[in-house]
Amino acid sequence: MTLLFLRRFAGFAATLFVAALIIFLLLDLLPGDPARFILGINATPEAVAALRVQMGLDAPAHERFLRWVFGMLGGDFGLSATQRLPVAELIADRMAVTLPLTLVAMVVSVVVGLPVGILAAMRRGRAADTVLMVLAQTGVAIPNFWFGMLLTLVFAVGLRWLPTGGFVPWAEDPGAALRGLVLPGLALALPQASILARVMRTALVDVTGQDFIRTARAKGLTRGEAIWRHGVRNALLPVLTILGLQFAFLVAGTIIVENVFYLPGLGRLIFTAISERDLVLVRGATMVLVLITTATMLVVDLCYALVDPRLRGRGA
Amino acid sequence: MSPRKSMALALAALMLSAGAALAQPTEIRIGVALEPPALDPTAGAAEAIDVVVYQNVFEGLVRIDQTGAVQPGLAESWTISDDGLTYTFSLHDGVTFHDGTSFDAEDVKFTFERLLAADSVNAQKALYAPISEVSAIDPLTVAFTLSRPDGLFLFNLGRGDAVIVAPESAANNGAEPIGTGPFAFVQWDRGSRVVLEQYGPYWGDKPALTKATYLFISDTSTMTNALLAGDVDGTNNFAPEALAVFEGNPQFKVLVGSTEGETILATNNRKAPFDDLKVRQAMAHALDRQEIIDGATYGYGVPIGTHFAPHHPYYLDLTGTYPHDPHKARVLLKEAGYPDGFSATLKLPPVAYARLSGQIIASEFAKVGIKLELINMEWAQWLEDVFANKDFDLTIISHVEPFDIGIYANPDYYFGYDNPQVQSLNETLNATTDEAERKRLAQEIQTIIARDAVNGYLFELAQTGVWNAKLEGMWQNAPVEGVVLRDIHWVE
């Protein structure tokens, strides 16, 4: 088990390093001088040169790469080129919006998606199943920003129950902060819930054909009781895998929804940083996304090994 | 709680709510598309910085008013020596920065020495190059010595790039701006909003607003919804394609004004075939300005025939120099040796007016035989390729600097126009302080560059604000960048 952990961890570290290298190279190859961008078209060459020195852009590429990587190991992600603040601090600030938003979306998608999936599986082949699965298919197909705009029109512009967007810091008014996350959370949750519903239904349908359900039925349980008591628990495994993947996907996928709802989250931070040529910030934030994704994968992997002893033996 | 006490409380609550109902609101929420990267207008070119802080948080020695005229600011008056080389300013007494430190001549001296220093990152440093010395004569008197006369010196002192900062706080102004203006910076929730509040000890007239919140909303449909839902009270410049939603709505007012943005089809004059006057004239005749304005600005732009803002007193209407005439364009191309036309590239920055104009111009040019390849670019790439490296044939860009006709006197500028006559006229213009003479010189330059068809002159960018109908005092025009809060107030 320790060996497995070490191997997985080494793979994790190697992935991060390769990702760092690729991110750095890609951004370094981009045309456009960040200093020139900040100072605009009428800046003198001296002013641009002075800013380049201030930003450390005059050092050779390998030096800048090593400085960046070693800095990150110590928790220092560098200084944002445009905002002149530590990147780590900026990212941490934005996580206070993106993580709760992701969480809201996860909770909503589980609360809506799983029961729908279970219901469809229990009514397999009947009208309810068809209707629910068509709805789920539509949910997957509808872009979340479009759904977000629809929600805004109904609940913010029309009914004025919730704000059209924006975010009040948690410390200032937790209620208002949460209210601000409702519509974007729903918008993000829709496709996730639809996917979960479909996965849940399929997993449950698979499970119901198996021996232990037949045994349960033989013991005198009704079909519903058998599915509910034994089926659902067993079907949850693939659902958990999807949930783990969705978490990473959601964190990265908030960019558009955060723009539609003008939320100060990580996605919007990256979006603005790219348009402002703030390469230090883009690099740092992208690394955090890679870290979240790979770490989630690592955790899912290790959990699998814990749950399923067969995987341990293979040492893969 | 005793009945008497609760009665008193209820009464108090009633009076409070009645008071609130009667009083005018004194707060405003303004939606702006771009969030400033930092809040120090002396260390960055982003227009978004001035939108929040110019004349609100920071003030200069003078300020620009809504008409573009220079008004007293931190300096209550000034004298100019006869040779135009010495400006002596008398400063207001009793001015303090928002951190409580006092303002005096030493702050002015500090501000300009910092601006002109070798390691200065002021984006407009070049504008202040004529300053050779700043001396604090006494705490309330400061003198500027120029190395050469500069007719735009006062105007430039009124720009956001020349606001007065204090040695105690200047280094930190990017994150926490401290100025002398009527509004003090309170809070910046990055990615979300900036909050300003009225500064009690402000030296000048008290503004009507007590609090202003700038919300950063980049998406057009989101901004539309935020306005409709009442989540924001207005925005200074809104996407023209969405204005129709508000134009017929009595709850809103749409303010259409002008900006300093001359939108041009910038042409690489040093490169063949554009070094040929006839080719440039042919292109000028091929342009149908009204079609471009209708398509790219939804009709809100104002046609221009030269590089000058139509609202400026020196403006000369030269839109008739090269009227839309495809036949004439083809004749000129033939005379220039291009009977079948030619191919060229048109590099477009990522702004709607440029991308849309580009498509219309490509179709207009195709009618006279000029085939354009449209190349879409990001800002940073555009700045590098087109502006810094001058690697382009044609591009479309709005020049938003006020009174920037001087760029035609710089042969190294990206469009590469080299005309000694314009250069010497511009030198004389810079050295002239007499208004009538300045106007004559400026108009002569306008005429020459229009005749030479240096660039394709398209339209003046409009400012299109959308505001709650109960708000007044907003600037309709934008002679400088900024959403100046000083006169904005609510009316019933």
Short mmCIF file of all heavy atoms in Angstrom, two decimals, chain B residues 303-335:
data_model
loop_
_atom_site.label_atom_id
_atom_site.label_comp_id
_atom_site.label_asym_id
_atom_site.label_seq_id
_atom_site.Cartn_x
_atom_site.Cartn_y
_atom_site.Cartn_z
N PRO B 303 -19.02 61.22 -38.46
CA PRO B 303 -17.98 61.12 -39.50
C PRO B 303 -16.88 62.17 -39.34
O PRO B 303 -17.15 63.30 -38.95
CB PRO B 303 -18.76 61.36 -40.80
CG PRO B 303 -20.14 61.74 -40.43
CD PRO B 303 -20.35 61.48 -39.00
N ILE B 304 -15.65 61.78 -39.61
CA ILE B 304 -14.54 62.74 -39.58
C ILE B 304 -13.77 62.65 -40.90
O ILE B 304 -13.75 61.61 -41.55
CB ILE B 304 -13.56 62.48 -38.41
CG1 ILE B 304 -13.08 61.03 -38.41
CG2 ILE B 304 -14.16 62.85 -37.07
CD1 ILE B 304 -11.92 60.74 -37.47
N GLY B 305 -13.14 63.76 -41.26
CA GLY B 305 -12.36 63.76 -42.49
C GLY B 305 -10.89 64.02 -42.22
O GLY B 305 -10.07 64.09 -43.13
N THR B 306 -10.56 64.14 -40.93
CA THR B 306 -9.18 64.38 -40.56
C THR B 306 -9.00 63.91 -39.12
O THR B 306 -9.97 63.48 -38.49
CB THR B 306 -8.84 65.86 -40.72
OG1 THR B 306 -7.45 66.06 -40.48
CG2 THR B 306 -9.63 66.72 -39.74
N HIS B 307 -7.79 64.02 -38.60
CA HIS B 307 -7.54 63.48 -37.27
C HIS B 307 -7.80 64.55 -36.20
O HIS B 307 -6.88 65.08 -35.58
CB HIS B 307 -6.09 62.98 -37.19
CG HIS B 307 -5.85 62.05 -36.05
ND1 HIS B 307 -5.61 60.71 -36.21
CD2 HIS B 307 -5.85 62.24 -34.73
CE1 HIS B 307 -5.44 60.13 -35.04
NE2 HIS B 307 -5.59 61.05 -34.12
N PHE B 308 -9.05 64.86 -35.99
CA PHE B 308 -9.37 65.87 -34.98
C PHE B 308 -10.79 65.65 -34.49
O PHE B 308 -11.66 65.20 -35.23
CB PHE B 308 -9.26 67.27 -35.60
CG PHE B 308 -8.58 68.25 -34.68
CD1 PHE B 308 -7.20 68.23 -34.52
CD2 PHE B 308 -9.32 69.18 -33.97
CE1 PHE B 308 -6.58 69.13 -33.67
CE2 PHE B 308 -8.70 70.07 -33.11
CZ PHE B 308 -7.32 70.05 -32.96
N ALA B 309 -11.04 65.96 -33.20
CA ALA B 309 -12.36 65.72 -32.63
C ALA B 309 -13.33 66.81 -33.06
O ALA B 309 -13.05 67.99 -32.89
CB ALA B 309 -12.26 65.67 -31.11
N PRO B 310 -14.49 66.43 -33.61
CA PRO B 310 -15.46 67.41 -34.13
C PRO B 310 -15.96 68.40 -33.07
O PRO B 310 -16.38 69.50 -33.40
CB PRO B 310 -16.61 66.54 -34.63
CG PRO B 310 -16.02 65.21 -34.86
CD PRO B 310 -14.92 65.05 -33.87
N HIS B 311 -15.92 68.02 -31.78
CA HIS B 311 -16.44 68.95 -30.77
C HIS B 311 -15.42 70.02 -30.40
O HIS B 311 -15.71 70.95 -29.67
CB HIS B 311 -16.88 68.18 -29.52
CG HIS B 311 -15.77 67.36 -28.92
ND1 HIS B 311 -15.76 65.99 -28.97
CD2 HIS B 311 -14.65 67.71 -28.28
CE1 HIS B 311 -14.68 65.54 -28.38
NE2 HIS B 311 -13.97 66.55 -27.97
N HIS B 312 -14.18 69.87 -30.88
CA HIS B 312 -13.12 70.80 -30.49
C HIS B 312 -13.27 72.11 -31.27
O HIS B 312 -13.60 72.10 -32.44
CB HIS B 312 -11.75 70.16 -30.78
CG HIS B 312 -10.63 70.85 -30.05
ND1 HIS B 312 -10.09 72.02 -30.49
CD2 HIS B 312 -9.97 70.51 -28.93
CE1 HIS B 312 -9.12 72.37 -29.65
NE2 HIS B 312 -9.03 71.47 -28.69
N PRO B 313 -13.02 73.27 -30.62
CA PRO B 313 -13.15 74.55 -31.32
C PRO B 313 -12.22 74.69 -32.54
O PRO B 313 -12.51 75.48 -33.44
CB PRO B 313 -12.81 75.60 -30.26
CG PRO B 313 -12.36 74.86 -29.05
CD PRO B 313 -12.82 73.45 -29.18
N TYR B 314 -11.14 73.93 -32.58
CA TYR B 314 -10.22 74.05 -33.72
C TYR B 314 -10.64 73.16 -34.90
O TYR B 314 -9.99 73.17 -35.93
CB TYR B 314 -8.80 73.62 -33.33
CG TYR B 314 -8.12 74.45 -32.28
CD1 TYR B 314 -6.85 74.07 -31.81
CD2 TYR B 314 -8.68 75.60 -31.75
CE1 TYR B 314 -6.20 74.80 -30.84
CE2 TYR B 314 -8.04 76.33 -30.77
CZ TYR B 314 -6.80 75.93 -30.31
OH TYR B 314 -6.15 76.64 -29.35
N TYR B 315 -11.67 72.37 -34.73
CA TYR B 315 -12.01 71.37 -35.74
C TYR B 315 -12.43 72.00 -37.06
O TYR B 315 -13.12 73.01 -37.11
CB TYR B 315 -13.15 70.49 -35.23
CG TYR B 315 -13.65 69.47 -36.22
CD1 TYR B 315 -12.90 68.34 -36.53
CD2 TYR B 315 -14.89 69.62 -36.86
CE1 TYR B 315 -13.36 67.41 -37.45
CE2 TYR B 315 -15.35 68.69 -37.76
CZ TYR B 315 -14.58 67.58 -38.06
OH TYR B 315 -15.04 66.66 -38.96
N LEU B 316 -11.97 71.39 -38.14
CA LEU B 316 -12.33 71.82 -39.48
C LEU B 316 -13.01 70.62 -40.16
O LEU B 316 -12.45 69.52 -40.15
CB LEU B 316 -11.03 72.17 -40.22
CG LEU B 316 -11.08 73.09 -41.43
CD1 LEU B 316 -11.71 74.42 -41.08
CD2 LEU B 316 -9.65 73.30 -41.94
N ASP B 317 -14.20 70.83 -40.72
CA ASP B 317 -14.91 69.72 -41.34
C ASP B 317 -14.30 69.42 -42.71
O ASP B 317 -14.50 70.18 -43.66
CB ASP B 317 -16.40 70.05 -41.48
CG ASP B 317 -17.17 68.87 -42.07
OD1 ASP B 317 -16.54 67.83 -42.37
OD2 ASP B 317 -18.40 68.99 -42.21
N LEU B 318 -13.56 68.33 -42.80
CA LEU B 318 -12.91 67.98 -44.06
C LEU B 318 -13.45 66.67 -44.62
O LEU B 318 -12.79 66.01 -45.41
CB LEU B 318 -11.39 67.89 -43.83
CG LEU B 318 -10.72 69.22 -43.46
CD1 LEU B 318 -9.34 69.00 -42.90
CD2 LEU B 318 -10.66 70.14 -44.67
N THR B 319 -14.66 66.31 -44.20
CA THR B 319 -15.22 65.04 -44.64
C THR B 319 -15.47 65.04 -46.15
O THR B 319 -15.62 63.99 -46.76
CB THR B 319 -16.55 64.72 -43.93
OG1 THR B 319 -17.35 65.91 -43.94
CG2 THR B 319 -16.34 64.28 -42.51
N GLY B 320 -15.50 66.25 -46.76
CA GLY B 320 -15.75 66.31 -48.20
C GLY B 320 -14.49 66.21 -49.04
O GLY B 320 -14.56 66.23 -50.28
N THR B 321 -13.32 66.07 -48.40
CA THR B 321 -12.07 66.04 -49.17
C THR B 321 -12.06 64.89 -50.18
O THR B 321 -11.70 65.07 -51.34
CB THR B 321 -10.86 65.90 -48.22
OG1 THR B 321 -11.00 66.85 -47.16
CG2 THR B 321 -9.55 66.17 -48.97
N TYR B 322 -12.42 63.71 -49.71
CA TYR B 322 -12.50 62.56 -50.61
C TYR B 322 -13.87 61.91 -50.46
O TYR B 322 -14.04 60.98 -49.69
CB TYR B 322 -11.40 61.55 -50.28
CG TYR B 322 -10.01 62.09 -50.51
CD1 TYR B 322 -9.20 62.41 -49.43
CD2 TYR B 322 -9.54 62.28 -51.80
CE1 TYR B 322 -7.93 62.93 -49.64
CE2 TYR B 322 -8.27 62.81 -52.02
CZ TYR B 322 -7.46 63.13 -50.93
OH TYR B 322 -6.23 63.65 -51.15
N PRO B 323 -14.86 62.42 -51.19
CA PRO B 323 -16.20 61.83 -51.06
C PRO B 323 -16.20 60.39 -51.56
O PRO B 323 -15.33 60.00 -52.35
CB PRO B 323 -17.07 62.72 -51.95
CG PRO B 323 -16.13 63.44 -52.85
CD PRO B 323 -14.80 63.51 -52.17
N HIS B 324 -17.18 59.61 -51.08
CA HIS B 324 -17.30 58.21 -51.48
C HIS B 324 -17.53 58.14 -53.00
O HIS B 324 -18.53 58.65 -53.50
CB HIS B 324 -18.46 57.56 -50.75
CG HIS B 324 -18.72 56.15 -51.18
ND1 HIS B 324 -17.75 55.18 -51.14
CD2 HIS B 324 -19.85 55.55 -51.66
CE1 HIS B 324 -18.25 54.04 -51.59
NE2 HIS B 324 -19.51 54.23 -51.91
N ASP B 325 -16.58 57.54 -53.72
CA ASP B 325 -16.65 57.53 -55.19
C ASP B 325 -15.83 56.35 -55.73
O ASP B 325 -14.66 56.50 -56.06
CB ASP B 325 -16.11 58.87 -55.72
CG ASP B 325 -16.30 59.00 -57.23
OD1 ASP B 325 -16.59 57.97 -57.88
OD2 ASP B 325 -16.16 60.12 -57.74
N PRO B 326 -16.43 55.16 -55.80
CA PRO B 326 -15.69 53.96 -56.22
C PRO B 326 -15.08 54.11 -57.61
O PRO B 326 -13.99 53.61 -57.87
CB PRO B 326 -16.75 52.87 -56.21
CG PRO B 326 -17.85 53.38 -55.37
CD PRO B 326 -17.83 54.86 -55.49
N HIS B 327 -15.79 54.83 -58.49
CA HIS B 327 -15.27 54.99 -59.85
C HIS B 327 -13.96 55.76 -59.83
O HIS B 327 -12.95 55.34 -60.41
CB HIS B 327 -16.30 55.73 -60.72
CG HIS B 327 -15.78 56.05 -62.09
ND1 HIS B 327 -15.55 55.07 -63.03
CD2 HIS B 327 -15.39 57.23 -62.65
CE1 HIS B 327 -15.06 55.64 -64.12
NE2 HIS B 327 -14.95 56.95 -63.91
N LYS B 328 -13.96 56.87 -59.11
CA LYS B 328 -12.75 57.69 -58.96
C LYS B 328 -11.62 56.84 -58.35
O LYS B 328 -10.46 56.95 -58.76
CB LYS B 328 -13.08 58.87 -58.04
CG LYS B 328 -12.03 59.94 -57.95
CD LYS B 328 -12.19 60.98 -59.05
CE LYS B 328 -11.16 62.09 -58.94
NZ LYS B 328 -11.52 63.10 -57.94
N ALA B 329 -11.98 56.01 -57.38
CA ALA B 329 -10.98 55.16 -56.72
C ALA B 329 -10.32 54.23 -57.74
O ALA B 329 -9.09 54.08 -57.75
CB ALA B 329 -11.65 54.35 -55.62
N ARG B 330 -11.13 53.63 -58.63
CA ARG B 330 -10.56 52.72 -59.63
C ARG B 330 -9.65 53.48 -60.60
O ARG B 330 -8.58 53.00 -60.97
CB ARG B 330 -11.69 52.02 -60.40
CG ARG B 330 -12.23 50.80 -59.65
CD ARG B 330 -13.20 50.01 -60.51
NE ARG B 330 -14.43 50.74 -60.73
CZ ARG B 330 -15.54 50.60 -59.97
NH1 ARG B 330 -15.53 49.72 -58.99
NH2 ARG B 330 -16.61 51.31 -60.21
N VAL B 331 -10.07 54.69 -61.00
CA VAL B 331 -9.25 55.51 -61.90
C VAL B 331 -7.90 55.81 -61.25
O VAL B 331 -6.83 55.66 -61.87
CB VAL B 331 -9.99 56.83 -62.25
CG1 VAL B 331 -9.07 57.77 -63.03
CG2 VAL B 331 -11.25 56.52 -63.05
N LEU B 332 -7.95 56.21 -59.97
CA LEU B 332 -6.70 56.55 -59.26
C LEU B 332 -5.78 55.33 -59.15
O LEU B 332 -4.56 55.45 -59.29
CB LEU B 332 -7.02 57.11 -57.87
CG LEU B 332 -7.47 58.57 -57.83
CD1 LEU B 332 -8.17 58.89 -56.52
CD2 LEU B 332 -6.27 59.50 -58.03
N LEU B 333 -6.39 54.17 -58.88
CA LEU B 333 -5.58 52.95 -58.77
C LEU B 333 -4.89 52.65 -60.10
O LEU B 333 -3.72 52.24 -60.14
CB LEU B 333 -6.46 51.76 -58.37
CG LEU B 333 -6.76 51.61 -56.88
CD1 LEU B 333 -7.68 50.43 -56.65
CD2 LEU B 333 -5.48 51.43 -56.07
N LYS B 334 -5.63 52.85 -61.19
CA LYS B 334 -5.06 52.61 -62.51
C LYS B 334 -3.89 53.55 -62.74
O LYS B 334 -2.81 53.15 -63.18
CB LYS B 334 -6.14 52.81 -63.59
CG LYS B 334 -5.74 52.27 -64.96
CD LYS B 334 -6.81 52.53 -66.00
CE LYS B 334 -7.81 51.38 -66.09
NZ LYS B 334 -8.88 51.69 -67.07
N GLU B 335 -4.09 54.84 -62.40
CA GLU B 335 -3.02 55.83 -62.57
C GLU B 335 -1.80 55.48 -61.73
O GLU B 335 -0.66 55.77 -62.11
CB GLU B 335 -3.52 57.22 -62.15
CG GLU B 335 -4.46 57.85 -63.18
CD GLU B 335 -5.02 59.18 -62.67
OE1 GLU B 335 -4.40 59.77 -61.75
OE2 GLU B 335 -6.05 59.60 -63.17
#
